């Protein structure tokens, strides 16, 4: 494992068992999460980004499984990494990581808490489970956490049921729960998608502050490039179970190289561009179903730079445009050669 | 919460009132009245009654009053004095006739209900957790057959098998030596020994149904986001299962407790008749066949009363286990 | 849960184009995946077939009494005789009558020396097919004697033939009852969903009320109140109406809730905005959308009514002889003594179990299929 990296995904394949047929959902992705950084995983719905994030904590639904690959994880740089992929799905090892060293926030704050248990009990449960503290200490810690994520009157909130919380409040509580044991990695699966724009901004603000304060690393799953710009350091763009381009956020935004990234970026409005009267474009066609995955580069039917006989026969190899920017596209095959030669 | 309890209570009283009207209509439904059938019996006995006597009798019994007055006196007698009218066939007050046999019906209904839940909840949860396993398939197949067998048919089959294998009748609730004995521990023990057959008969379909409900609602909960969220916190599978999905799945089960009771009470008369139990079943059927209508109406009323009270109790239980309802109206 | 897995349409063959299929096609694909539902369909078709052709399929007419075979058990059909000779044409052993030395009653005994071969499309007792065509052709019969597959009752009537005739009556009671329930449920549910407000509230309370009282005692009491002198047709109609009162509440609820939900659906609003008339919206958009739910509820209501009819008739409060339903046939098996002497009288009960099983299987398949877009 490289220096400064806490989590490393190597050639990860995930398949869906569909009536005995194996349908690939994620096809060999490689990712690295450096300590203290935010890695954004971006793609349209159904591209496999949520499934990838669930695979990291082995939370995959029953019919979905990791078919091959490695997920190497170490809580701190001086510990030796363990491979999460072959662990027992609900065994002791993975359970001691979940909620403790690596925790997760989900998309739907309204349904992420059990409606019939008190908020404080649901957060305190994680603390008691991993930190071996008394109930009273756990409760004090929950109140601290609720205060930290900006919930007013935490002394009272701790004894309330989720239905008396608004969506934004529940997402704050969810963040409190995920931070309860000072994890080294936080996985956030579209944490702001279901929220109003103003609340979205507040939640992002809290997450960014707490990340710095607690010196966490974060994997941030989203389809919203606006959110990426606000919070991420590194970006990986996914399309139909594969990473098509990755690099630092400024590099990807200013110098996108994959046709898919380019069209994603041109589909978001920018304030400064108003004078240019630049047209907002949408991507042609729609994401095909998993059963009709196009051969080769799955994006080719929607791509303007489609090279017949090439893109539809094989998936493009990695083109290392710069030490920090890599892309999978045949139009860059030669570019890489120029750099390397 | 108090408002909720109060509104459910009001609803219970209203339902009781509506049921009493229905029971009264049932009493009035057959052509002719009590006096007519009395005159008929006298005629058959060779001592015909005069028209004058008949009118007198009608007047005395209030049968010449308009129906709403009759209803009023029927209800007020019942509420104030526990007087449910007179059973022609038994020549005793209806309340006494029913009172003799009601405890057995209740014992049967409640032990059935209790066993139904005791068996169905663990099996339902197990089937949900091991969805599509061999055990799951086994239970769901058995459940289908259980649901499809009318309970009187099950009773007949069990009675036939009992006759064939043990050479004895499995009907009845007591051995002959306890049949008319006063209550004693021995008699209670004897009752329990006999009770299991009618309990099986009465409870099979309900248990099958309940297993399906528990399984479905547990499966439903297992798919919920909060279960994954709790798993992401590091809980062990067993603790997670019991604390969240199972606990949640109990809600709809408790909420329908009243309906289950309705169902059991509904099936009780027919099982009582088939197995010739000394409970209210045969009493009810004979009162219907002989148009002993005050007794029949009283039975309908009692059967309904138990399920209505049962529904009320299940509403109260729901408040205890579900904070969302508890919060309503606060 | 919104994990992306669930967004995958559960269709196996890639040559299927789910996005191009009609709702009914989607439903059929889903229904076909339910093996038990297909089994149920087959069982139902067999029952319906034997109900329709009851007269032809039964070797005897149900009122016919066989004095040579009173209260005797099922006669087995054999291919091998007692010396293990194979006969291509199946046969039953002949029966001869003897007098029991103790009770002096006539009893039938198996006579293995004589065989009665089974023949198909034989002539037998004359009957009118569906009360219209007079004929005497029976699907099968034993040459030179008689065949009672399910034995006979105490009057010597063939239980097999009676079961087939009873299938016709029982299924038709269910069908008529369900139709009444359907009409009642659609109208009342429609009123509740259409008017909403107080009327809706009242109707919902009424349904809640009906569901909270024990139905069977009530229906027992109602049918006990039917005048004794009524003809069996009158009783039949009255019983079906009473039974319909059991089934309508579910249907009314479904109609109401679907109506309320669909009224607010985007596609309804879209249809209205694009200028569709109300009638067109109801016929083209709403009806197909909840027709499937109605069908599900009907398949669920059917066995309920079937079981209720059987229970009523079994207790002697529903249909009565000479009408034959499964319950009426079981009425003869009401006490332990008759079942222990003639356990074959319970065979009509198997028809009930099979019918209810079939409806439940089909109902489950339909319920899944009704929502073809669900998981």
């Amino acid at each position: 494992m490289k220096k400064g990296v806490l989590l490393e995904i190597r050639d990860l394949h995930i398949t869906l068992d569909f009536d005995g047929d194996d349908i690939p959902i994620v096809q060999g992705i490689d990712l690295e999460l450096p300590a203290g950084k935010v890695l954004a995983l971006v793609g349209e719905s159904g591209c496999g980004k949520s499934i990838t994030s669930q695979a990291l904590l082995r939370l995959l639904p029953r019919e979905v499984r990791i078919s091959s690959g490695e997920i190497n994880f170490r809580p701190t740089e001086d510990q030796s990494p363990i491979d999460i992929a072959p662990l027992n799905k609900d065994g002791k090892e993975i359970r001691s990581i979940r909620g403790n060293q690596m925790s997760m926030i989900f998309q739907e704050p309204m349904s992420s808490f059990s409606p019939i248990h008190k908020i404080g009990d649901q957060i305190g449960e994680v603390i008691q489970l991993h930190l071996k503290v008394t109930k009273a200490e756990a409760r004090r810690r929950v109140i601290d956490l609720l205060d930290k994520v900006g919930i007013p009157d935490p002394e009272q909130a701790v004894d309330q049921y989720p239905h008396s919380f608004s969506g934004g409040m529940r997402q704050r509580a969810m963040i409190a729960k995920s931070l309860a044991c000072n994890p080294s990695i936080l996985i956030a699966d579209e944490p702001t998608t279901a929220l109003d724009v103003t609340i979205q901004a507040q939640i992002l603000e809290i997450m960014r502050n707490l990340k710095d304060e607690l010196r966490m690393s974060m994997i941030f799953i989203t389809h919203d490039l606006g959110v990426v710009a606000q919070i991420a350091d590194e970006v990986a763009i996914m399309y139909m179970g594969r990473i098509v381009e990755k690099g630092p956020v400024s590099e990807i935004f200013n110098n996108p190289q994959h046709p898919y990234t380019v069209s994603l970026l041109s589909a978001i409005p920018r304030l400064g561009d108003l004078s240019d009267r630049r047209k907002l474009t949408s991507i042609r066609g729609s994401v095909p179903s998993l059963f009709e995955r196009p051969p080769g580069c799955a994006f080719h039917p929607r791509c303007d730079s489609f090279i017949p006989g090439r893109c539809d026969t094989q998936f493009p190899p990695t083109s290392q445009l710069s030490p920090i920017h890599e892309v999978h596209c045949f139009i860059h095959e030669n570019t890489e050669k120029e750099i390397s030669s | 919460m108090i408002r909720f309890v109060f509104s459910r209570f009001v609803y219970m009283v209203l339902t009781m009132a509506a049921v009493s009207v229905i029971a009264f209509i049932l009493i009035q439904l057959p052509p002719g009245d009590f006096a007519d059938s009395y005159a008929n019996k006298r005629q058959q006995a060779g001592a015909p009654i005069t028209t004058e006597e008949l009118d007198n009798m009608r007047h005395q019994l209030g049968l010449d009053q308009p129906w709403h007055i009759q209803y009023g006196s029927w209800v007020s007698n019942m509420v104030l004095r526990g007087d449910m009218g007179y059973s022609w066939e038994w020549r005793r007050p209806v309340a006494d006739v029913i009172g003799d046999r009601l405890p057995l019906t209740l014992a049967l209904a409640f032990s059935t209900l209790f066993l139904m839940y005791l068996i169905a909840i663990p099996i339902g949860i197990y089937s949900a957790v091991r969805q599509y396993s061999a055990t799951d398939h086994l239970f769901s197949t058995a459940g289908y057959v259980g649901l499809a067998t009318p309970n009187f048919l099950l009773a007949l089959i069990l009675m036939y098998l009992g006759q064939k294998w043990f050479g004895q009748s499995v009907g009845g609730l007591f051995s002959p030596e306890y049949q008319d004995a006063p209550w004693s521990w021995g008699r209670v023990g004897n009752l329990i020994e006999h009770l299991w057959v009618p309990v099986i008969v009465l409870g099979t379909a309900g248990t099958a149904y309940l297993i399906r409900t528990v399984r479905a609602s547990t499966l439903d909960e297992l798919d919920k986001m909060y279960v994954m969220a709790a798993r992401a916190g590091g809980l062990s599978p067993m603790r997670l299962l019991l604390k969240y999905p199972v606990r949640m799945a109990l809600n709809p089960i408790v909420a329908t407790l009243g309906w289950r009771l309705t169902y059991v009470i509904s099936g009780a008369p027919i099982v009582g008749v088939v197995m010739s139990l000394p409970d209210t079943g045969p009493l009810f059927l004979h009162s219907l066949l002989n148009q002993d209508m005050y007794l029949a109406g009283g039975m309908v009323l009692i059967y309904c009363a138990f399920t209505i009270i049962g529904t009320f109790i299940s509403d109260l239980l729901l408040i205890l286990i579900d904070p969302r309802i508890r919060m309503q109206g606060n | 849960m919104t994990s992306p897995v669930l967004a995958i349409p559960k269709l196996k063959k890639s040559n299927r184009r789910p996005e191009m299929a009609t709702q009914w096609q989607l439903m059929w694909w889903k229904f076909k995946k339910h093996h038990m539902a297909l089994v149920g369909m087959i069982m139902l078709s067999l029952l319906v077939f034997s109900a329709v052709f009851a007269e032809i399929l039964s070797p005897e007419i149900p009122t016919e009494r066989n004095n040579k075979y009173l209260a005797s058990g099922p006669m087995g059909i054999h291919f091998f005789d007692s010396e293990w000779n194979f006969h291509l044409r199946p046969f039953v052993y002949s029966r001869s009558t003897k007098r029991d030395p103790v009770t002096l009653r006539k009893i039938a005994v198996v006579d293995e020396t004589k065989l009665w071969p089974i023949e198909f499309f034989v002539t037998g007792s004359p009957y009118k097919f569906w009360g219209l065509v007079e004929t005497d052709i029976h699907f099968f019969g034993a040459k030179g004697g008689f065949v009672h597959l399910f034995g006979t009752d105490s009057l010597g009537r063939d239980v097999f033939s009676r079961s087939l005739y009873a299938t016709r009556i029982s299924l038709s009671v269910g069908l008529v009852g369900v139709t009444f329930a359907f009409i009642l449920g659609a109208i009342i549910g429609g009123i509740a969903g259409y008017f909403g407000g107080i009327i809706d509230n009242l109707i919902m309370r009424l349904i809640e009320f009906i569901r909270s009282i024990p139905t069977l005692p009530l229906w027992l009491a109602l049918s006990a109140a039917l005048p004794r002198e009524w003809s069996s047709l009158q009783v039949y109609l009255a019983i079906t109406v009473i039974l319909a009162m059991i089934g309508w509440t579910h249907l009314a609820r479904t109609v109401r809730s679907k109506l309320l939900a669909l009224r607010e659906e985007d596609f309804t609003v879209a249809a209205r905005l694009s200028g569709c008339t109300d009638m067109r919206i109801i016929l083209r958009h709403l009806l197909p959308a909840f027709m499937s739910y109605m069908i599900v509820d009907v398949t669920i209501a059917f066995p309920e009514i079937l079981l209720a009819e059987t229970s009523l008739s079994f207790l002697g409060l529903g249909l009565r002889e000479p009408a034959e339903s499964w319950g009426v046939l079981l009425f003869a098996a009401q006490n332990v003594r008759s079942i222990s002497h003639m356990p074959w009288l319970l065979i009509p009960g198997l028809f009930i179990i099979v019918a209810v099983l079939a409806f439940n299987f089909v109902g489950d398949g339909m319920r899944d299929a009704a929502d073809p877009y669900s998981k």
Side-chain angles (χ1 to χ4, degrees), chain A residues 58 98-99 106 111 116-117 125 129-130, chain B residues 225-226 229 231-234 243-244 247 327:
Chain A
R58 305 297 309 278
R98 282 179 194 159
F106 299 90
S111 55
I116 53 168
H117 295 88
E125 173 186 73
L129 195 67
H130 295 297
Chain B
M225 201 68 212
Y226 71 86
R231 240 178 106 201
K243 182 163 178 190
Y244 296 101
R247 177 66 183 69
M327 294 301 166

PDB file of all heavy atoms in Angstrom, chain A residues 58 98-99 106 111 116-117 125 129-130, chain B residues 225-226 229 231-234 243-244 247 327:
ATOM      1  N   ARG A  58     -19.152  -4.136   3.524  1.00  0.00           N
ATOM      2  CA  ARG A  58     -19.798  -5.444   3.345  1.00  0.00           C
ATOM      3  C   ARG A  58     -21.282  -5.381   3.693  1.00  0.00           C
ATOM      4  O   ARG A  58     -21.833  -6.285   4.313  1.00  0.00           O
ATOM      5  CB  ARG A  58     -19.098  -6.510   4.191  1.00  0.00           C
ATOM      6  CG  ARG A  58     -17.610  -6.623   3.931  1.00  0.00           C
ATOM      7  CD  ARG A  58     -17.335  -7.043   2.499  1.00  0.00           C
ATOM      8  NE  ARG A  58     -18.088  -8.215   2.133  1.00  0.00           N
ATOM      9  CZ  ARG A  58     -17.713  -9.452   2.440  1.00  0.00           C
ATOM     10  NH1 ARG A  58     -16.584  -9.652   3.074  1.00  0.00           N
ATOM     11  NH2 ARG A  58     -18.445 -10.481   2.087  1.00  0.00           N
ATOM     12  N   ARG A  98     -17.077  -1.660  11.290  1.00  0.00           N
ATOM     13  CA  ARG A  98     -18.294  -0.899  11.040  1.00  0.00           C
ATOM     14  C   ARG A  98     -18.643   0.045  12.192  1.00  0.00           C
ATOM     15  O   ARG A  98     -18.710  -0.384  13.341  1.00  0.00           O
ATOM     16  CB  ARG A  98     -19.487  -1.843  10.902  1.00  0.00           C
ATOM     17  CG  ARG A  98     -19.591  -2.523   9.577  1.00  0.00           C
ATOM     18  CD  ARG A  98     -20.804  -3.436   9.610  1.00  0.00           C
ATOM     19  NE  ARG A  98     -20.750  -4.360   8.484  1.00  0.00           N
ATOM     20  CZ  ARG A  98     -21.412  -5.520   8.456  1.00  0.00           C
ATOM     21  NH1 ARG A  98     -22.163  -5.876   9.467  1.00  0.00           N
ATOM     22  NH2 ARG A  98     -21.329  -6.279   7.398  1.00  0.00           N
ATOM     23  N   GLY A  99     -18.889   1.276  11.868  1.00  0.00           N
ATOM     24  CA  GLY A  99     -19.342   2.238  12.869  1.00  0.00           C
ATOM     25  C   GLY A  99     -18.235   2.654  13.807  1.00  0.00           C
ATOM     26  O   GLY A  99     -18.403   3.569  14.605  1.00  0.00           O
ATOM     27  N   PHE A 106     -26.300   7.591   5.070  1.00  0.00           N
ATOM     28  CA  PHE A 106     -27.120   7.152   3.946  1.00  0.00           C
ATOM     29  C   PHE A 106     -27.919   8.302   3.343  1.00  0.00           C
ATOM     30  O   PHE A 106     -28.064   9.371   3.918  1.00  0.00           O
ATOM     31  CB  PHE A 106     -28.050   6.027   4.381  1.00  0.00           C
ATOM     32  CG  PHE A 106     -27.296   4.831   4.859  1.00  0.00           C
ATOM     33  CD1 PHE A 106     -26.942   4.691   6.191  1.00  0.00           C
ATOM     34  CD2 PHE A 106     -26.905   3.856   3.960  1.00  0.00           C
ATOM     35  CE1 PHE A 106     -26.223   3.600   6.633  1.00  0.00           C
ATOM     36  CE2 PHE A 106     -26.191   2.760   4.390  1.00  0.00           C
ATOM     37  CZ  PHE A 106     -25.850   2.625   5.723  1.00  0.00           C
ATOM     38  N   SER A 111     -35.539   7.656   6.643  1.00  0.00           N
ATOM     39  CA  SER A 111     -35.743   6.248   6.971  1.00  0.00           C
ATOM     40  C   SER A 111     -34.501   5.588   7.561  1.00  0.00           C
ATOM     41  O   SER A 111     -34.471   4.393   7.735  1.00  0.00           O
ATOM     42  CB  SER A 111     -36.207   5.490   5.724  1.00  0.00           C
ATOM     43  OG  SER A 111     -35.294   5.683   4.676  1.00  0.00           O
ATOM     44  N   ILE A 116     -39.169   3.640  16.145  1.00  0.00           N
ATOM     45  CA  ILE A 116     -39.711   3.344  17.469  1.00  0.00           C
ATOM     46  C   ILE A 116     -38.640   3.314  18.555  1.00  0.00           C
ATOM     47  O   ILE A 116     -38.887   2.866  19.655  1.00  0.00           O
ATOM     48  CB  ILE A 116     -40.496   2.024  17.485  1.00  0.00           C
ATOM     49  CG1 ILE A 116     -39.633   0.901  16.925  1.00  0.00           C
ATOM     50  CG2 ILE A 116     -41.775   2.132  16.683  1.00  0.00           C
ATOM     51  CD1 ILE A 116     -40.225  -0.457  17.170  1.00  0.00           C
ATOM     52  N   HIS A 117     -37.438   3.765  18.218  1.00  0.00           N
ATOM     53  CA  HIS A 117     -36.409   3.871  19.256  1.00  0.00           C
ATOM     54  C   HIS A 117     -35.960   5.321  19.349  1.00  0.00           C
ATOM     55  O   HIS A 117     -35.928   6.032  18.346  1.00  0.00           O
ATOM     56  CB  HIS A 117     -35.215   2.981  18.920  1.00  0.00           C
ATOM     57  CG  HIS A 117     -35.550   1.511  18.920  1.00  0.00           C
ATOM     58  ND1 HIS A 117     -36.023   0.860  17.803  1.00  0.00           N
ATOM     59  CD2 HIS A 117     -35.496   0.585  19.896  1.00  0.00           C
ATOM     60  CE1 HIS A 117     -36.228  -0.419  18.099  1.00  0.00           C
ATOM     61  NE2 HIS A 117     -35.922  -0.613  19.364  1.00  0.00           N
ATOM     62  N   GLU A 125     -26.059   3.323  21.235  1.00  0.00           N
ATOM     63  CA  GLU A 125     -25.856   1.900  21.006  1.00  0.00           C
ATOM     64  C   GLU A 125     -24.503   1.635  20.349  1.00  0.00           C
ATOM     65  O   GLU A 125     -23.766   0.735  20.749  1.00  0.00           O
ATOM     66  CB  GLU A 125     -26.997   1.421  20.107  1.00  0.00           C
ATOM     67  CG  GLU A 125     -26.905   0.018  19.611  1.00  0.00           C
ATOM     68  CD  GLU A 125     -28.025  -0.253  18.629  1.00  0.00           C
ATOM     69  OE1 GLU A 125     -27.968   0.250  17.488  1.00  0.00           O
ATOM     70  OE2 GLU A 125     -28.975  -0.938  19.019  1.00  0.00           O
ATOM     71  N   LEU A 129     -21.296  -0.158  22.047  1.00  0.00           N
ATOM     72  CA  LEU A 129     -20.850  -1.371  21.378  1.00  0.00           C
ATOM     73  C   LEU A 129     -19.330  -1.366  21.171  1.00  0.00           C
ATOM     74  O   LEU A 129     -18.658  -2.359  21.392  1.00  0.00           O
ATOM     75  CB  LEU A 129     -21.555  -1.473  20.028  1.00  0.00           C
ATOM     76  CG  LEU A 129     -21.514  -2.799  19.304  1.00  0.00           C
ATOM     77  CD1 LEU A 129     -22.309  -3.816  20.092  1.00  0.00           C
ATOM     78  CD2 LEU A 129     -22.113  -2.647  17.921  1.00  0.00           C
ATOM     79  N   HIS A 130     -18.799  -0.217  20.722  1.00  0.00           N
ATOM     80  CA  HIS A 130     -17.392  -0.202  20.327  1.00  0.00           C
ATOM     81  C   HIS A 130     -16.456   0.351  21.401  1.00  0.00           C
ATOM     82  O   HIS A 130     -15.305  -0.034  21.463  1.00  0.00           O
ATOM     83  CB  HIS A 130     -17.209   0.630  19.061  1.00  0.00           C
ATOM     84  CG  HIS A 130     -17.891   0.035  17.869  1.00  0.00           C
ATOM     85  ND1 HIS A 130     -17.538  -1.183  17.350  1.00  0.00           N
ATOM     86  CD2 HIS A 130     -18.910   0.479  17.111  1.00  0.00           C
ATOM     87  CE1 HIS A 130     -18.311  -1.460  16.304  1.00  0.00           C
ATOM     88  NE2 HIS A 130     -19.157  -0.468  16.142  1.00  0.00           N
TER      89      HIS A 130
ATOM     90  N   MET B 225     -34.207   0.868   5.200  1.00  0.00           N
ATOM     91  CA  MET B 225     -32.925   1.556   5.256  1.00  0.00           C
ATOM     92  C   MET B 225     -32.330   1.527   6.669  1.00  0.00           C
ATOM     93  O   MET B 225     -31.132   1.360   6.849  1.00  0.00           O
ATOM     94  CB  MET B 225     -33.176   3.009   4.853  1.00  0.00           C
ATOM     95  CG  MET B 225     -31.963   3.721   4.391  1.00  0.00           C
ATOM     96  SD  MET B 225     -31.410   3.034   2.841  1.00  0.00           S
ATOM     97  CE  MET B 225     -29.684   3.285   3.000  1.00  0.00           C
ATOM     98  N   TYR B 226     -33.190   1.664   7.672  1.00  0.00           N
ATOM     99  CA  TYR B 226     -32.643   1.781   9.021  1.00  0.00           C
ATOM    100  C   TYR B 226     -31.967   0.483   9.471  1.00  0.00           C
ATOM    101  O   TYR B 226     -31.104   0.500  10.346  1.00  0.00           O
ATOM    102  CB  TYR B 226     -33.711   2.230  10.029  1.00  0.00           C
ATOM    103  CG  TYR B 226     -34.746   1.187  10.351  1.00  0.00           C
ATOM    104  CD1 TYR B 226     -34.518   0.240  11.343  1.00  0.00           C
ATOM    105  CD2 TYR B 226     -35.955   1.144   9.663  1.00  0.00           C
ATOM    106  CE1 TYR B 226     -35.456  -0.717  11.630  1.00  0.00           C
ATOM    107  CE2 TYR B 226     -36.896   0.193   9.938  1.00  0.00           C
ATOM    108  CZ  TYR B 226     -36.640  -0.744  10.926  1.00  0.00           C
ATOM    109  OH  TYR B 226     -37.560  -1.699  11.194  1.00  0.00           O
ATOM    110  N   ALA B 229     -28.629   0.817   8.153  1.00  0.00           N
ATOM    111  CA  ALA B 229     -27.933   1.829   8.946  1.00  0.00           C
ATOM    112  C   ALA B 229     -27.468   1.237  10.274  1.00  0.00           C
ATOM    113  O   ALA B 229     -26.355   1.502  10.724  1.00  0.00           O
ATOM    114  CB  ALA B 229     -28.850   3.024   9.181  1.00  0.00           C
ATOM    115  N   ARG B 231     -26.911  -1.911  10.824  1.00  0.00           N
ATOM    116  CA  ARG B 231     -25.848  -2.872  10.511  1.00  0.00           C
ATOM    117  C   ARG B 231     -24.530  -2.133  10.337  1.00  0.00           C
ATOM    118  O   ARG B 231     -23.480  -2.604  10.769  1.00  0.00           O
ATOM    119  CB  ARG B 231     -26.194  -3.592   9.212  1.00  0.00           C
ATOM    120  CG  ARG B 231     -26.324  -5.088   9.368  1.00  0.00           C
ATOM    121  CD  ARG B 231     -26.717  -5.682   8.044  1.00  0.00           C
ATOM    122  NE  ARG B 231     -25.614  -6.360   7.416  1.00  0.00           N
ATOM    123  CZ  ARG B 231     -25.541  -6.617   6.110  1.00  0.00           C
ATOM    124  NH1 ARG B 231     -26.511  -6.220   5.313  1.00  0.00           N
ATOM    125  NH2 ARG B 231     -24.517  -7.250   5.625  1.00  0.00           N
ATOM    126  N   ALA B 232     -24.606  -0.971   9.706  1.00  0.00           N
ATOM    127  CA  ALA B 232     -23.402  -0.178   9.473  1.00  0.00           C
ATOM    128  C   ALA B 232     -22.805   0.297  10.788  1.00  0.00           C
ATOM    129  O   ALA B 232     -21.657   0.701  10.841  1.00  0.00           O
ATOM    130  CB  ALA B 232     -23.713   1.008   8.577  1.00  0.00           C
ATOM    131  N   GLY B 233     -23.602   0.259  11.879  1.00  0.00           N
ATOM    132  CA  GLY B 233     -23.083   0.634  13.185  1.00  0.00           C
ATOM    133  C   GLY B 233     -22.311  -0.496  13.836  1.00  0.00           C
ATOM    134  O   GLY B 233     -21.674  -0.287  14.853  1.00  0.00           O
ATOM    135  N   GLY B 234     -22.387  -1.707  13.291  1.00  0.00           N
ATOM    136  CA  GLY B 234     -21.591  -2.807  13.802  1.00  0.00           C
ATOM    137  C   GLY B 234     -22.339  -3.789  14.684  1.00  0.00           C
ATOM    138  O   GLY B 234     -21.724  -4.598  15.359  1.00  0.00           O
ATOM    139  N   LYS B 243     -33.707  -6.478  17.779  1.00  0.00           N
ATOM    140  CA  LYS B 243     -33.960  -5.133  18.268  1.00  0.00           C
ATOM    141  C   LYS B 243     -34.745  -4.294  17.261  1.00  0.00           C
ATOM    142  O   LYS B 243     -35.602  -3.526  17.650  1.00  0.00           O
ATOM    143  CB  LYS B 243     -32.636  -4.435  18.589  1.00  0.00           C
ATOM    144  CG  LYS B 243     -32.867  -3.050  19.155  1.00  0.00           C
ATOM    145  CD  LYS B 243     -31.644  -2.515  19.845  1.00  0.00           C
ATOM    146  CE  LYS B 243     -31.927  -1.100  20.346  1.00  0.00           C
ATOM    147  NZ  LYS B 243     -30.731  -0.445  20.820  1.00  0.00           N
ATOM    148  N   TYR B 244     -34.450  -4.421  15.975  1.00  0.00           N
ATOM    149  CA  TYR B 244     -35.118  -3.559  15.002  1.00  0.00           C
ATOM    150  C   TYR B 244     -36.231  -4.229  14.182  1.00  0.00           C
ATOM    151  O   TYR B 244     -37.398  -3.985  14.446  1.00  0.00           O
ATOM    152  CB  TYR B 244     -34.082  -2.852  14.116  1.00  0.00           C
ATOM    153  CG  TYR B 244     -33.210  -1.913  14.909  1.00  0.00           C
ATOM    154  CD1 TYR B 244     -31.939  -2.263  15.290  1.00  0.00           C
ATOM    155  CD2 TYR B 244     -33.708  -0.680  15.314  1.00  0.00           C
ATOM    156  CE1 TYR B 244     -31.151  -1.403  16.044  1.00  0.00           C
ATOM    157  CE2 TYR B 244     -32.930   0.190  16.067  1.00  0.00           C
ATOM    158  CZ  TYR B 244     -31.652  -0.172  16.427  1.00  0.00           C
ATOM    159  OH  TYR B 244     -30.902   0.677  17.172  1.00  0.00           O
ATOM    160  N   ARG B 247     -38.904  -6.247  16.230  1.00  0.00           N
ATOM    161  CA  ARG B 247     -39.647  -5.345  17.093  1.00  0.00           C
ATOM    162  C   ARG B 247     -40.645  -4.521  16.275  1.00  0.00           C
ATOM    163  O   ARG B 247     -41.794  -4.308  16.668  1.00  0.00           O
ATOM    164  CB  ARG B 247     -38.618  -4.459  17.798  1.00  0.00           C
ATOM    165  CG  ARG B 247     -39.120  -3.395  18.682  1.00  0.00           C
ATOM    166  CD  ARG B 247     -39.828  -3.947  19.895  1.00  0.00           C
ATOM    167  NE  ARG B 247     -40.326  -2.807  20.650  1.00  0.00           N
ATOM    168  CZ  ARG B 247     -41.293  -2.044  20.231  1.00  0.00           C
ATOM    169  NH1 ARG B 247     -41.887  -2.335  19.104  1.00  0.00           N
ATOM    170  NH2 ARG B 247     -41.693  -0.997  20.934  1.00  0.00           N
ATOM    171  N   MET B 327     -47.492   9.606  20.653  1.00  0.00           N
ATOM    172  CA  MET B 327     -47.260  11.042  20.518  1.00  0.00           C
ATOM    173  C   MET B 327     -48.462  11.778  19.932  1.00  0.00           C
ATOM    174  O   MET B 327     -48.563  12.979  20.057  1.00  0.00           O
ATOM    175  CB  MET B 327     -46.051  11.279  19.603  1.00  0.00           C
ATOM    176  CG  MET B 327     -44.762  10.790  20.194  1.00  0.00           C
ATOM    177  SD  MET B 327     -44.426  11.596  21.749  1.00  0.00           S
ATOM    178  CE  MET B 327     -43.144  10.552  22.406  1.00  0.00           C
TER     179      MET B 327
END
